[in-house]
Amino acid sequence: MTPTSTPKLLFLAAGCAAALWLGSCDSGQHAGSAETPTADANFERFKTQFIDSLWYYNPEWASGQGYHRYDSLLVVPNAAHRQVEAKEQARVRKQLGTFPVGELSVNNQTDFRLIENYLNSSRFYADTLREWQWNPAGYNLGSSVAEILNGRYQPLDRRLRSISLKISRAADYYAAAEDNIQKPTREHTELAIRQNQGALGVFGPALLDSINRSGLSEREKKDFRDRIATTRLVMENYIRFLREEVLPAGQFRSFRLGKTLYDRKFYYDIQSSYSADQVYQKAQQHKQELLRDMKKRAARLWPKYFAGQSQPADSLAAVQQVISRLSQNHATQAGFVAAVKAQIPTLVKFVNDQKLLTQDPTKPLVVRETPPYMRGSGAGASVSAPGPYDKAADTYYNVEPLDGQPAEQAQSYLREYNEYTLQILNIHEAIPGHYTQLVYANRSPSLIKSIFGNGAMIEGWAVYAERLMLESGYGGNSDEMWLMWDKWNMRVTLNAIIDHEIQVNNASEASIVALLTRDGFQEQSEATNKWRRATLSQVQLASYFTGYTEIYDLRQELRQQQGSRFDLKAFNEQFLSYGSAPVRYIRNMMLQKS
Ligand code: ZN
């Protein structure tokens, strides 16, 4: 459901004793220049320096964005590093404070707020939330090494040299990890054991094979193999430490954040104009609206699909039965990828015909089977988009083929992604959802907005796009299509509700699973998986609904304000033109312009 991995904030943060900053406070004056630098010109220079420093302290985040200069750096997450980084951030904050924010362009004002939020949230993560103490799964060398190894844009030898240098500090890294852990949650400890065990596979035969066929010297190869052996050893020790010391000691904290921490994390992560409580209330209300709509449509569809049978007295049961019947209409196991491919031109044409927004024909979406190393995450379809540093690269729509799966498992998946839901999925992931949004975002000149891409805005747009299409007549306004959308949208709505219920209101697993299966019409297995996810993350589950609601509310607000002058196409295009910024800032900019 997510187009790109959201960068973790401070938790993965890099660090080193040397500050990269060139000159403490660049005046921005060039010798001999007669021009007086404007506030914006100075701010542009500040942003460039800020980003370079950011990458130096966060090499893994940089790598994920397509910036590979610091691939070989490994941050040792110890106390000394935390101090250095805090000092550096204090210095940047001071510098940021010298800019007259009101005199900057609207675009730069948003960048100013995004940098400010990053600095504030970094302090919150490090000093108050302190996830570095209670989440042992935050320590894992596997994913960052795999990311460099699979990187498409660097020659193999260069990637291998980066990895070799990076893992030369593996022992210090895991020693710091053990040192940091204090009263973790049981859930994150178990996750850390599983994930580090999985990560051992990254340092296995495939990597050794790459070394053998590389152009590295014999000396380099030998050093590299020794470092891999050490890395495996320290990872195994870390797993043993968690399994044989941490777990048996039984000194755990609850995975639930509680109201105070949840509210603040919501504030920093989502940057919404709504509070966590307001979103919770809105989601409750929306749930009731969806249920009413579903009951109405299911009652209308009943005679068509259950001719001669009387409707059950329980209206929820009737909804469930109609959904089950509609879900039988789906693609074949062998034809799944082809079914997705076939829908894309239809979506492109509909968006053009209805004049929903302008599409860029020079950036076609490439539908492909998900590459093997990306499979198995449970995401049937996802968009791989080029980052801000390699905008010219292709965008892929990865669809996982079902050929290899046992028939029963594939049938269950096909019922879930049936004739109707599959179309909604393609709208969400591709056109005019994530893919279209990312094409627009890459045109936005602000690197800051690309880097601090706001998850709630990105997911919110994709959910908004589904409703936009159906409201414009996609699917012929049929009860079938709307009923299935209601169910789909209910999932997003319940995600926001249960995140709050679990993290703030102390809800039990049984009550959550009951809610998801009853009001969400979900299978038992889906509901249980969702519970597990909600114990391991906080706030993220609420981002989809929050972004969607904010975008929809903004559209209503502008529609009301502009009356007959309101133009849907202009709204959509203007909304997308600001890059992946939080909706609250886009709202400010759009209200100023209107
Ligand atoms: Zn999504």
Side-chain angles (χ1 to χ4, degrees), residues 1-3 428-429 434 458-459 462 544:
M1 291 290 128
T2 37
H428 178 107
E429 296 291 338
H434 287 318
I458 292 169
E459 286 304 338
Y544 307 72

Side-chain angles (χ1 to χ4, degrees), residues 344-355 359 431:
I344 303 299
T346 313
L347 296 175
V348 171
K349 187 170 182 311
F350 186 87
V351 169
N352 285 337
D353 290 350
Q354 297 299 315
K355 300 189 174 57
Q359 299 178 89
I431 293 159

